[in-house]
Amino acid sequence: QSVLTQPPSASGTPGQRVTISCSGGTSNLGINYVYWYQRLPGMAPKLLIYRNNERPSGVPDRFSGSKSGTSASLAISGLRSEDEADYYCAAWDASLSGPVFGGGTKLTVL
Amino acid sequence: QVQLVESGGGLVKPGGSLRLSCAASGFTFIDYYMGWIRQAPGKGLEWVSYVGNSGSYTDYPDSVKGRFTIFRDNAKKSVDLQMDSLRGEDTAVYYCARAVYCGGKCYLPDFWGRGTLVTVSS
C-alpha cells in the first residue's frame, strides 16, 4: 500500500485533456512539494514536474501540475499516443524522513 | 547527457547477498546525492537508500535498515548497494537515481536508470 494514493488507471482519446490525482497527508503533500514522473514501457522513469508545477527543460507545456492542501494533480492536454505510460507522484515525507511515492497510474490513449 | 546504468541483478536464495552497481556519467557526480528506489511486482515505488555527496551521510527506510548498505566512489562515479539477508519481499526492480535538493531535508529523484531485476527465491 503506497503512502500517496493515485487511481490505478486513466484513459483518454487523442487531443483530450486528462488529469491524474495524487492524494497524501499532512506530513507529505500538506507541507512539501509534489514531483511527477513518467515511465514509458521498458524505459527509465523521467521527471515531468518538480516543485508542484515546474517543468524540466524538454518537457512539453502540455504537461502541467498543481497542488492544493494534501492533494495534487497532473494534467495532460492535447493527449497523444506517445503519452501512454505509467505516471507516478512523489513527495518528501517529514514523518518517515524519506521520499514517498504513489502507486502509479497507467494512462491509456484510446 | 545524464546516464545511470545499473548492473548486478539476478536470482538469489533467501538469506543470501547481492551487490548492485550503478555507473553514472554526463554530470558532475560529486555535486549530487544518489539513491536506490525499487518496485516490487504489482506494487508501487519504494525508496531504498540515499547517500550524500561525500558518502558519509546515508539513510534507509526501516524495511531495509541493517540489511542494505549504500556506498559511493566519487572517483569512479559509481554507487553500489550491498544487500544482505535477502527476503522474498525484496524481489523487485531496483532503480539507481540521482537526487536533487527540494528544501529542508528533502531530496527527490530527477534522473533514473532503467533498473535491474532482483529475484529472491529458493
Side-chain angles (χ1 to χ4, degrees):
Chain A
Q1 181 119 354
S2 299
V3 174
L4 304 180
T5 301
Q6 297 179 237
S9 63
S11 62
T13 55
Q16 257 190 337
R17 182 177 188 271
V18 297
T19 61
I20 296 171
S21 62
C22 175
S23 176
T26 54
S27 62
N28 42 69
L29 292 185
I31 54 172
N32 289 311
Y33 295 117
V34 66
Y35 281 47
W36 288 93
Y37 304 92
Q38 175 195 59
R39 189 178 64 196
L40 296 167
M43 302 293 286
K46 171 188 170 184
L47 179 64
L48 273 186
I49 298 288
Y50 67 99
R51 298 198 174 206
N52 298 340
N53 54 19
E54 302 285 340
R55 282 185 309 277
S57 79
V59 173
D61 59 6
R62 301 187 297 107
F63 294 90
S64 61
S66 64
K67 196 193 81 160
S68 178
T70 59
S71 295
S73 292
L74 172 71
I76 309 170
S77 59
L79 198 61
R80 298 182 172 187
S81 58
E82 57 260 38
D83 298 333
E84 194 161 279
D86 295 325
Y87 292 85
Y88 296 88
C89 60
W92 185 264
D93 191 289
S95 296
L96 298 175
S97 198
V100 291
F101 296 89
T105 299
K106 184 175 183 61
L107 175 64
T108 301
V109 180
L110 302 169
Chain B
Q1 73 279 24
V2 174
Q3 280 202 311
L4 299 170
V5 180
E6 303 94 338
S7 61
L11 175 64
V12 60
K13 289 182 167 53
S17 297
L18 204 60
R19 189 172 179 116
L20 306 182
S21 292
C22 172
S25 60
F27 64 100
T28 305
F29 186 71
I30 199 169
D31 285 351
Y32 291 88
Y33 274 43
M34 298 294 296
W36 290 89
I37 294 151
R38 68 184 179 183
Q39 185 169 35
K43 300 208 171 174
L45 295 164
E46 179 190 19
W47 163 64
V48 172
S49 64
Y50 269 153
V51 60
N53 308 63
S54 68
S56 57
Y57 167 79
T58 60
D59 201 7
Y60 312 86
D62 288 344
S63 58
V64 306
K65 196 171 287 185
R67 300 188 299 122
F68 289 13
T69 308
I70 189 169
F71 302 91
R72 70 185 290 160
D73 185 328
N74 286 335
K76 294 182 179 178
K77 299 182 183 180
S78 66
V79 56
D80 287 6
L81 184 68
Q82 176 66 38
M83 304 185 294
D84 299 318
S85 303
L86 283 161
R87 308 166 180 166
E89 55 263 37
D90 296 318
T91 294
V93 174
Y94 284 73
Y95 295 96
C96 174
R98 188 181 84 169
V100 287
Y101 180 64
C102 40
K105 292 184 177 181
C106 171
Y107 284 86
L108 284 171
D110 68 339
F111 277 95
W112 304 58
R114 289 195 178 197
T116 186
L117 176 62
V118 172
T119 304
V120 183
S121 174
S122 53

